[in-house]
Amino acid sequence: MKKHTFKEWLIATRPWSFPASAMPVIVTCVYLYGIYPEINWLNGLWALVNIIVFHAAGNTWSDYLDYRKGVDTPDSFGVKTLTSGQFQANEIRALSLWLLGIATLMGIGLLWRTGALLWWIGLGGILCTLLYPYLKYRAFGDVVIFIAYALLPTWGTSYVVAGVVDMQVLWLAVPVGLITVAILHANNTRDIETDRHAHIRTFAMQTGNRVAKYIYAAEVLLPFLWIPVGIAMGHFPLWSLLTFIVLPLSVGNVKTIWASADGNTDVIAHLDEKTAQLQLAFSFVLSVTFLLTVWFV
């Protein structure tokens, strides 16, 4: 069996996608910093590392099952760690299970530091990790991603850093979560034909290429409408309008997906990565606006 470098193992986890899980935790921590007098930053850092490890486990588990199912092939746009022969399937499976074990132990440690409610949030994360491929093949992947990378991280982070699940964090979960779901939707829109050959059903396949484009546009543009509503409702500071400096990235992504014709997926080959960059930029600027509110009130 070929010996792999640490860099190769790291790349196998798809680190470019980690902002999708990391930023909801960071945004929530900074948001609550302006609301609660005492924030447990150590627990916040712990939660951040924990969810990234969970994310890595989910990525590799999905890659393993996609390869076994025939979703990822040498001719598809999918991850090449297995289809290129760089890794064996049992290696990626073992990596995923090791990562899931580490993430679970870290979660138990955080549970010991906080309280029993975290058990249910953590259990939800484990189930999302393990069941995601099965549900993705049946057009429910987008729902799982919103739960795993929007609802659970914001609720869980609120609990571990503030000691309470503050439902105001749902105002964060919606805009950040929509762009996160758009990462998957961009991937699935690109892969409609190859996924059909693999005999699976994604949400993008169910809607068809044209409708899928409208859905993607809604997912990356609605967050910029959500922010003014949140400001009007008193949940976001006026500073949050600064997120509109990221709007050109969103518009550019919409133009990219609209330029792709049925059967011509080269145009959107890397749209999932560009959407991940959009999510990172949007979440970062939103976090900064919360800090500005604390510093300049």
Side-chain angles (χ1 to χ4, degrees), residues 25-41:
V25 175
I26 294 171
V27 173
T28 303
C29 283
V30 178
Y31 179 71
L32 295 175
Y33 174 55
I35 298 176
Y36 292 90
E38 296 291 335
I39 292 293
N40 193 319
W41 293 106

Side-chain angles (χ1 to χ4, degrees), residues 91-118:
E91 292 178 311
I92 296 299
R93 179 184 62 189
L95 174 61
S96 179
L97 294 176
W98 271 105
L99 289 169
L100 184 60
I102 293 170
T104 301
L105 289 176
M106 290 183 66
I108 292 172
L110 194 54
L111 172 69
W112 177 77
R113 289 178 55 85
T114 55
L117 181 59
L118 191 64

Side-chain angles (χ1 to χ4, degrees), residues 77-78 185-194 265 268-272:
F77 286 105
H185 190 68
N187 180 289
N188 289 344
T189 302
R190 179 196 66 196
D191 294 342
I192 285 178
E193 290 304 317
T194 55
T265 55
I268 56 173
H270 301 289
L271 185 59
D272 52 352

